[in-house]
């Protein structure tokens, strides 16, 4: 993929609608690419492997031309570009350049499918559209990346309820702002890199989305004391010795940038609003990472912190050295940079680095009794998870206002897609243990005893929990008072993890 120098004059978005019409007419969309390239070549392109796509676009069709021009970033003959684009406008507005009868892309334009089937386009620097920059340091520190795994992860976990105002902090090429524009009346997007705001403007215009309020600056400085219903950020969270690359390095020591984002977000949220971040955090010698991150949560906010991956310091350093292309440098220079990373971690007593999601929700109830859930969940999940995140906090509200007596008086239903599995030796009369497993969302599995399994199996919203336990006690020959005493804790855990739902909530969800 091309690794040309950064262009200083970006395209003009004023006539982006004409270019959008041409791209859509040629079926230059996520679905169109999948049909043209086939699944293997399409997946390879997402890994920055271009050879399969080159082979699949050897034809002379309009879509072949656009793929070669914008995705493979190869020159195409003038006459083929003219058949695919309003060429004179595209040249005048700076989307493409022409030399010696050949047309080249000035920026990467990548089809991106929205959650409701929308056809969008993400505009970014040439050679930096997919995943890590793969040597983007050669472009200079102002590089603006396109769609990657982190940006799609954040888009998938974001709560998508209609809101009046949303803030995309560190917008990059505008992916989160584009999503937010679909359900927020007003979108503000900020970035320390002014070029990123120019790319966001192009992404929104070419995608046919409303304009956003674009502001340059670091962290919450550009918005001062303004408050929002939704804040999202895929920040430059990499913990590194220094700030060589703006797109990934936060420029603060250790994980201070992520900590600052979380600590300051509470004052920028409206009541009931969400702040959702991707983050890296240090595992510090002698400290519990869950307690450490819980201390970041601002007063007046509930939190759900999910650690998705942990790398030791050598794995982490190697990952980001490769991301910057340092593994292709002189061996002595590579060794020096590697050593600098290890020196940084040693000085901070960092033994590993965690990666995951942090969600805050502003809640008046959290001022006195905050719900802070920190957990490690490295297993596969089913995106999108925005509704799962929203439901998590709804359940926390329920548990906070229901003591054990209230739980036993309430009615519950087993959540959809929950199945029971029995594990044991073949032919054994009784299973060694019973699992409840979710086939959607977080895809959790939890081991339960015979009482909890029986309880969950008959929860259809008809009977209150206490009466179900009385019936189970009679069947099992147990004291119903003792069973009522010890079971609420198990019910509370099943509700917290989404295996059981209060019948009133389930009815509301069904409606």
């Amino acid at each position: 993929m091309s690794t040309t120098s950064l262009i200083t004059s970006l395209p003009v978005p004023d006539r982006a609608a004409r270019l959008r019409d041409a791209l859509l007419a040629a079926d230059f969309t996520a679905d169109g690419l999948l049909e043209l390239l086939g699944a293997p070549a399409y997946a390879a392109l997402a890994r920055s492997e271009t050879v399969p796509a080159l082979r699949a676009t050897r034809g002379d069709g309009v879509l072949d031309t656009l793929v070669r021009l914008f995705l493979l970033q190869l020159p195409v003959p003038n006459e083929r570009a003219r058949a695919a684009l309003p060429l004179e406008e595209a040249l005048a507005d700076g989307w493409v350049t022409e030399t010696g009868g050949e047309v080249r892309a000035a920026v990467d334009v990548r089809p991106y499918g929205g959650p409701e089937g929308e056809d969008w386009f993400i505009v970014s620097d040439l050679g930096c559209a997919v995943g890590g920059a793969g040597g983007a340091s050669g472009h200079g520190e102002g590089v603006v990346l396109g769609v990657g795994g982190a940006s799609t992860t954040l888009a998938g976990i974001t709560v998508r309820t209609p809101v009046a105002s949303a803030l995309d902090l560190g917008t990059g090429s505008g992916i989160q702002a584009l999503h937010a524009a679909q359900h927020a009346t007003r979108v503000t997007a900020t970035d320390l890199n002014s070029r990123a705001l120019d790319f966001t403007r192009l992404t929104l215009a070419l995608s046919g989305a409303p304009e956003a309020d674009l502001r340059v600056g670091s962290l919450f400085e550009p918005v001062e004391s303004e408050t929002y219903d939704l804040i999202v950020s895929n920040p430059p969270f990499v913990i590194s010795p220094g700030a060589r690359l703006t797109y990934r390095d936060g420029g603060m020591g250790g994980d201070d940038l992520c900590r600052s984002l979380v600590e300051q977000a509470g004052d920028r949220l409206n009541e009931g609003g969400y702040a959702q971040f991707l983050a890296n955090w240090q595992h510090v010698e002698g400290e519990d990472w869950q307690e450490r991150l819980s201390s970041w949560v601002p007063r007046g906010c509930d939190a759900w912190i999910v650690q998705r991956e942990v790398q030791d310091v050598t794995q982490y350093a190697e990952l980001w050295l490769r991301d910057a292309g340092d593994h292709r440098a002189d061996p002595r220079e590579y060794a020096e940079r590697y050593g600098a990373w290890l020196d940084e971690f040693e000085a901070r007593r960092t033994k590993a680095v965690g990666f995951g999601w942090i969600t805050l929700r502003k809640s008046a109830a959290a001022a006195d009794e905050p719900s802070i859930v920190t957990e490690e969940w490295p297993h596969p999940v089913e995106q999108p998870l925005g509704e799962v995140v929203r439901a998590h906090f709804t359940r926390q509200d329920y548990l906070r206002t229901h003591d054990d007596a209230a739980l036993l008086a309430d009615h519950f239903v087993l959540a959809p897609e929950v199945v029971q599995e029995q594990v044991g030796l073949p032919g054994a009369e009784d299973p060694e243990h019973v699992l409840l497993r979710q086939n959607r969302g977080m895809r959790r599995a939890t081991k339960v005893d015979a009482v909890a399994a029986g309880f969950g199996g008959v929860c259809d919203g008809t009977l209150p929990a206490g009466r179900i336990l009385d019936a189970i006690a009679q069947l099992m020959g147990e004291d119903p008072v003792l069973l009522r005493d010890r079971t609420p804790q198990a019910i509370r855990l099943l509700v917290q993890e989404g295996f059981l739902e209060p019948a009133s909530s389930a009815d509301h969800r069904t409606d």
Side-chain angles (χ1 to χ4, degrees):
M1 193 152 304
S2 169
T3 54
T4 54
S5 300
L6 291 177
I7 57 171
T8 55
S9 180
L10 293 178
V12 178
D14 300 352
R15 293 185 287 190
R18 285 284 308 277
L19 177 58
R20 173 177 171 80
D21 289 343
L23 298 179
L24 293 177
D27 207 15
F28 187 64
T29 63
D31 289 340
L33 289 184
L34 181 59
E35 184 174 348
L36 173 70
L37 301 178
Y42 187 78
L45 192 61
R47 300 190 301 269
S48 299
E49 295 291 346
T50 59
V51 173
L54 280 168
R55 294 172 63 86
T57 55
R58 288 177 288 191
D60 57 2
V62 172
L63 185 52
D64 298 271
T65 299
L66 292 173
V67 172
R68 284 181 165 253
L69 179 66
F70 286 119
L71 300 189
L72 304 181
Q73 288 147 25
L74 297 171
V76 301
N78 178 291
E79 62 274 13
R80 288 187 61 178
R82 191 174 300 279
L85 299 168
L87 185 57
E88 301 307 325
E89 287 184 7
L91 286 167
D93 292 348
W95 294 96
V96 296
T97 60
E98 184 180 25
T99 306
E102 290 186 325
V103 174
R104 287 183 176 272
V107 290
D108 187 293
V109 175
R110 188 158 302 262
Y112 179 68
E116 302 298 328
E118 301 94 341
D119 291 316
W120 294 337
F121 300 95
I122 309 302
V123 188
S124 62
D125 272 313
L126 292 171
C128 298
V130 181
S137 56
H139 293 274
E141 65 174 19
V143 67
V144 177
L145 302 186
V147 183
S151 53
T152 56
T153 293
L154 179 58
I157 67 172
T158 299
V159 176
R160 296 295 175 197
T161 52
V163 294
S165 58
L167 169 64
D168 177 12
L169 193 152
T171 187
S173 53
I175 299 161
Q176 309 307 324
L178 179 57
H179 278 277
Q182 311 310 304
H183 63 103
T185 304
R186 174 175 59 90
V187 176
T188 301
T190 70
D191 206 288
L192 182 62
N193 180 4
S194 60
R195 292 183 77 252
L197 300 178
D198 293 333
F199 274 110
T200 294
R201 186 177 291 107
L202 294 171
T203 289
L204 295 173
L206 196 56
S207 298
E211 294 182 2
D213 179 6
L214 305 178
R215 308 184 192 181
V216 66
S218 176
L219 299 179
F220 289 102
E221 291 174 3
V223 300
E224 298 178 336
S225 59
E226 295 175 36
T227 58
Y228 298 86
D229 302 310
L230 174 67
I231 299 172
V232 291
S233 183
N234 176 19
F237 53 64
V238 176
I239 300 170
S240 61
R244 288 172 55 209
L245 303 175
T246 305
Y247 72 86
R248 68 167 207 194
D249 299 329
M252 295 185 182
D255 52 20
D256 284 354
L257 182 137
C258 293
R259 177 184 55 77
S260 297
L261 270 178
V262 174
E263 290 179 343
Q264 296 174 24
D267 291 336
R268 272 76 178 189
L269 280 177
N270 295 325
E271 177 68 17
Y274 291 90
Q276 299 187 259
F277 312 104
L278 299 188
N280 276 183
W281 46 78
Q282 297 162 220
H283 284 228
V284 178
E285 196 73 46
E287 297 183 27
D288 180 271
W289 74 268
Q290 293 175 304
E291 292 179 2
R292 188 167 180 272
L293 265 67
S294 294
S295 72
W296 294 2
V297 177
R299 180 175 170 78
C301 287
D302 296 320
W304 186 18
I305 300 169
V306 182
Q307 181 166 270
R308 296 287 290 153
E309 184 180 0
V310 181
Q311 291 184 317
D312 67 45
V313 292
T314 59
Q315 292 173 314
Y316 189 81
E318 290 162 13
L319 169 67
W320 294 109
L321 287 166
R322 285 194 302 272
D323 172 84
D326 290 332
H327 61 302
R328 295 193 291 268
D330 177 86
R332 285 174 296 182
E333 184 179 350
Y334 175 77
E336 288 177 3
R337 287 182 174 171
Y338 197 150
W341 284 73
L342 297 184
D343 288 343
E344 174 80 3
F345 288 132
E346 185 177 346
R348 295 183 178 277
R349 298 185 297 112
T350 301
K351 58 183 181 179
V353 177
F355 166 81
W357 320 325
I358 298 177
T359 300
L360 306 178
R361 187 195 57 167
K362 191 69 170 287
S363 168
D368 298 320
E369 191 181 351
S371 165
I372 301 176
V373 177
T374 60
E375 61 176 315
E376 186 164 9
W377 191 252
H379 310 293
V381 299
E382 183 187 53
Q383 288 274 32
L385 284 168
E387 178 57 25
V388 173
V389 173
R390 187 204 62 76
H392 166 88
F393 287 97
T394 299
R395 293 194 301 270
Q396 298 308 111
D397 283 342
Y398 172 86
L399 293 171
R400 183 161 41 202
T401 56
H402 286 69
D403 60 16
D404 288 356
L407 280 182
L408 294 177
D410 212 344
H411 299 238
F412 297 91
V413 296
L414 196 65
E417 303 297 329
V418 172
V419 297
Q420 178 178 300
E421 299 176 3
Q422 297 187 18
V423 181
L425 293 173
E429 184 175 345
D430 296 312
E432 292 180 12
H433 57 263
V434 177
L435 289 177
L436 295 183
R437 185 181 300 277
Q438 300 167 350
N439 286 327
R440 304 290 298 275
M442 292 294 285
R443 293 180 171 169
R444 297 184 187 277
T446 187
K447 187 163 65 172
V448 295
D449 62 16
V451 172
F455 180 85
V458 297
C459 276
D460 60 3
T462 305
L463 295 173
R467 286 186 60 188
I468 294 175
L469 290 178
D470 291 344
I472 292 174
Q474 186 174 5
L475 285 172
M476 300 181 68
E478 292 206 29
D479 184 333
V481 175
L482 293 179
L483 197 61
R484 278 175 172 256
D485 242 10
R486 74 167 194 262
T487 307
Q489 183 177 353
I491 296 174
R492 195 171 291 276
L493 180 62
L494 290 174
V495 171
Q496 177 175 305
E497 295 190 342
F499 291 94
L500 289 178
E501 298 179 0
S504 56
S505 300
D507 291 341
H508 179 72
R509 174 177 50 77
T510 302
D511 294 343

